[in-house]
Amino acid sequence: MEVVIVPDARSGGELIAEAMAQLLRRKPDALLGVATGSTPLPVYEALAEAVRSGAVDASRARIAQLDEYVGLPADHPESYRSVLRREVLEPLGVGMDAFMGPDGTAEDVQGACRAYDSALAEAGGVDLQLLGIGTDGHIGFNEPCSSLASRTRIKTLTQQTRVDNARFFDGDIEQVPHHVITQGIGTILEARHLVLLATGEGKADAVAATVEGPVAAVCPASALQLHPHATVVVDEAAASKLKLADYFRHTYANKPDWQGI
Ligand code: GLP
């Protein structure tokens, strides 16, 4: 696992946007897996800026969704489909025809989950999956004690995650859905390169458990330790509980191996 400690969220965003740009230069129709939440926004801003300046062409990029609320209409402003359209697709100039995600409105939710797993495989798999992390160590919406081999499926959110996400619903937890569809941990691990971004002190415990704890379902992000090419980008605050912080600074500072093994 590469652990890159950056001074702040903005530089983390720029670093990861550069990884995505390098990928798109090598493979213009790369399938980028994207995450929601506040953390990835600096990545999307930096990548959109690179597109605007002509440093990279994203016109053939394909975008895959990580997770979705169950039961929110697709055009609800906080459905992850809407959020990603607003924050990623439109700024990059990528059309919805190049977007894939699970159907959170399907009557047959389990069928929709299986269909999404199949669609990802048929699309050739995700080239680079960007991940955030929940305060409880979740990735996507794989809450603690999710199977490390899980596939895309329906999950029930913990109270903590609903509290954390209430800020997107006018601070009203009652509006936060209880159920979600998420790529499973096994599904996520099939992406060719995993890049997790964590910023702020509130993520420091989860980052320490992810990077230096045992691989354990109680911290779903620790499954990244099983992946041959996982990069964890953290700001100083999120890195503050890493015992090996100095080693990581010395080894990986601004030199992640984006090309992989
Ligand atoms: C949600 C998303 C995750 C995201 C997490 C953290 O639960 N499903 O993909 O990583 O929020 O969000 P934030 O980056 O806003 O802290």
Side-chain angles (χ1 to χ4, degrees):
M1 191 185 273
E2 301 165 323
V3 183
V4 186
I5 302 176
V6 292
D8 51 35
R10 188 182 157 154
S11 23
E14 287 169 355
L15 195 68
I16 296 173
E18 176 53 25
M20 291 177 163
Q22 284 185 24
L23 171 62
L24 288 170
R25 287 183 201 114
R26 286 201 302 279
K27 185 176 179 183
D29 65 345
L31 183 55
L32 296 177
V34 292
T36 51
S38 316
T39 311
L41 294 178
V43 179
Y44 306 143
E45 282 157 19
L47 189 59
E49 179 52 35
V51 167
R52 278 194 297 274
S53 72
V56 65
D57 176 10
S59 60
R60 291 176 58 202
R62 296 171 299 149
I63 306 288
Q65 188 174 351
L66 183 60
D67 48 11
E68 182 58 279
Y69 290 113
V70 168
L72 283 190
D75 60 355
H76 187 289
E78 292 308 325
S79 79
Y80 281 176
R81 184 184 178 87
S82 297
V83 169
L84 292 172
R85 188 172 55 217
R86 214 164 48 231
E87 291 172 353
V88 181
L89 289 137
E90 288 172 0
L92 294 184
V94 176
M96 287 306 277
D97 53 331
F99 178 74
M100 51 197 300
D103 181 359
T105 65
E107 270 184 35
D108 175 9
V109 180
Q110 289 184 358
C113 295
R114 281 194 299 274
Y116 189 47
D117 253 2
S118 304
L120 287 170
E122 279 160 25
V126 173
D127 289 295
L128 185 157
Q129 176 65 56
L130 176 61
L131 298 165
I133 186 169
T135 52
D136 59 5
H138 74 240
I139 47 174
F141 269 135
N142 292 283
E143 296 285 30
C145 296
S146 289
S147 159
L148 300 185
S150 50
R151 312 299 307 174
T152 300
R153 69 210 183 292
I154 187 166
K155 286 291 288 181
T156 303
L157 294 181
T158 61
Q159 181 70 0
Q160 179 64 56
T161 298
R162 292 183 68 237
V163 168
D164 287 347
N165 287 5
R167 69 190 193 281
F168 297 113
F169 294 85
D170 303 320
D172 178 9
I173 191 172
E174 293 309 317
Q175 290 185 44
V176 183
H178 285 271
H179 295 105
V180 292
I181 293 177
T182 182
Q183 284 190 33
I185 298 175
T187 315
I188 291 170
L189 289 175
E190 286 172 2
R192 293 180 188 87
H193 184 191
L194 297 179
V195 181
L196 185 147
L197 176 63
T199 53
E201 206 181 339
K203 301 292 173 69
D205 284 320
V207 166
T210 298
V211 174
E212 295 176 346
V215 175
V218 74
C219 177
S222 66
L224 266 66
Q225 295 178 32
L226 300 170
H227 195 281
H229 191 200
T231 307
V232 175
V233 179
V234 283
D235 68 359
E236 290 288 346
S240 59
K241 296 195 174 164
L242 289 173
K243 295 191 188 82
L244 290 167
D246 283 341
Y247 168 74
F248 295 139
R249 271 191 202 97
H250 176 71
T251 311
Y252 297 114
N254 293 318
K255 296 184 296 190
D257 173 16
W258 295 131
Q259 297 280 341
I261 54 172

